[in-house]
Amino acid sequence: MTVGAVLGSIPLMDATTRANRAVWETASQKHVQEYDELLAEAASGSSLFGAERELLGGILGRAPRVVHLQSGHGLEDVALVKAGAREVVGVDYSTVATGAAQRRADELGVACRYVVAALPGAPLADGCADLVYTGKGALIWMPDLTAWAGDAARLLRPDAHLFIYESHPAVPLWTWDEDEPRIRPDRSYFARRHVNDTFPARGAVEWQWTLGHLITALATAGLRLVHVAEYPDPFWRPSHVRAAAWNGALPNAFSILARRPGPPV
C-alpha cells in the first residue's frame, strides 16, 4: 500500500468544497512557516493524546497499515508509526499540507506517504487498511457524512477499525469568553452549517454534524461501535485564548472506535 506523494489534479468539486479547499491551502502555509517547530514535534512522537494511545494500543501493537483521512500537517502519522504502525498513508486535499508532511516524514525516515485527493472518494484500494484514523478538524469539511462513512468503511479490511478523535459537535456553540461559559446566539446545535470566523479556517463553511448523525452514518456504512467517549478538553486551543468553556464543564472533544465486522464464522 506504500504510495508516493501525488500532486496531481483534484476531481471536480462543488463550489463550497472548492472555496473551502482554497481557505485550507492558505491556512496550511502555517505548516510550512513553522516547519522546524513541527519537525521537532513530529520527531518527539507526542502528537497522540493519552486517550488515543489507550484506545489504539492493542491495534498499533499488531503493526497495522493505517490510512489517515484528512491528514493535515501529518504529525499524528509520525506518532502512529513510532507507536507501532507499519506504515501510514495520509490523504488530504491540500498540496501545501501534504507537501510539508511528506518532507517531514522523509527527513525523519518514517514510513508515511501522502496522496492529494478530495474526500469521499479516496484513491486507494478497497480493504487496504487495518486502521483508518481521522479527526481533529476533519469532519467539519464533509458535506455528506453518509458518503464519507461509506468510503472510510470501504478502505477497511474485515475486522479492521475506524478511529475518530474529533471536536465535539457542541463546540460551535461555545463562546471564547474568559469569565464564564456562554452560548453564541448566532449558532444552533442542529444547524446544517456555519461560517468559521476564527483562525485558521476563517471564512470556510464548516458542516455541522450531531453525534447522532455521525453514529447513524457509521451504522449505515456497516460499522459496529466499540467505544464512544466525550472529553472536556479541546483537541486544539489557540495560545492566546483562555476560554471558560474549556475549564472542564462542557464537552469539547469526543472519540469513537468502530469495527468493520468480519465474515460470519
Side-chain angles (χ1 to χ4, degrees), residues 107-138:
E107 191 166 341
L108 294 171
V110 294
C112 299
R113 297 293 179 265
Y114 293 91
V115 177
V116 179
L119 299 172
L124 301 173
D126 295 357
C128 65
D130 302 302
L131 171 66
V132 170
Y133 174 96
T134 192
K136 298 179 181 175

Side-chain angles (χ1 to χ4, degrees), residues 16-261:
T16 299
T17 301
R18 195 162 54 246
N20 277 355
R21 179 174 180 254
V23 171
W24 184 232
E25 287 280 41
T26 300
S28 295
Q29 291 293 337
K30 180 179 174 68
H31 304 156
V32 177
Q33 295 160 0
E34 299 177 359
Y35 181 85
D36 290 341
E37 297 170 46
L38 295 178
L39 179 65
E41 184 176 345
S44 74
S46 63
S47 296
L48 296 176
F49 293 117
E52 295 183 275
R53 293 182 181 277
E54 181 178 351
L55 289 167
L56 294 176
I59 298 170
L60 292 172
R62 298 192 290 271
R65 291 183 169 90
V66 181
V67 171
H68 183 181
L69 298 180
Q70 293 146 285
S71 51
H73 51 43
L75 300 189
E76 290 85 4
D77 305 333
V78 178
L80 287 166
V81 171
K82 287 180 176 291
R86 184 179 313 177
E87 60 182 353
V88 179
V89 174
V91 183
D92 198 285
Y93 65 5
S94 168
T95 59
V96 175
T98 53
Q102 188 67 69
R103 179 184 167 195
R104 273 188 292 274
D106 291 345
E107 191 166 341
L108 294 171
V110 294
C112 299
R113 297 293 179 265
Y114 293 91
V115 177
V116 179
L119 299 172
L124 301 173
D126 295 357
C128 65
D130 302 302
L131 171 66
V132 170
Y133 174 96
T134 192
K136 298 179 181 175
L139 298 186
I140 58 173
W141 303 100
M142 289 294 103
D144 187 337
L145 201 61
T146 300
W148 174 88
D151 195 42
R154 174 187 67 80
L155 298 173
L156 295 172
R157 65 164 181 77
D159 287 320
H161 290 83
L162 168 69
F163 180 75
I164 303 168
Y165 195 103
E166 186 59 280
S167 181
H168 197 282
V171 163
L173 305 181
W174 313 145
T175 69
W176 285 2
D177 294 311
E178 291 189 28
D179 56 343
E180 63 179 89
R182 293 183 177 85
I183 294 177
R184 292 182 56 150
D186 61 333
R187 297 280 175 85
S188 165
Y189 181 75
F190 299 101
R192 183 77 171 86
R193 61 186 188 175
H194 67 270
V195 176
N196 183 291
D197 56 10
T198 61
F199 181 83
R202 188 186 303 275
V205 172
E206 295 187 0
W207 302 95
Q208 292 184 213
W209 303 107
T210 67
L211 280 180
H213 281 134
L214 177 55
I215 289 170
T216 299
L218 297 178
T220 300
L223 300 178
R224 295 182 180 175
L225 294 180
V226 176
H227 183 90
V228 180
E230 297 169 284
Y231 310 102
D233 296 317
F235 74 84
W236 173 80
R237 57 179 88 195
S239 59
H240 64 284
V241 178
R242 298 290 182 269
W246 303 337
N247 289 343
L250 298 172
N252 280 285
F254 72 93
S255 65
I256 290 180
L257 183 65
R259 180 179 63 87
R260 178 184 174 184

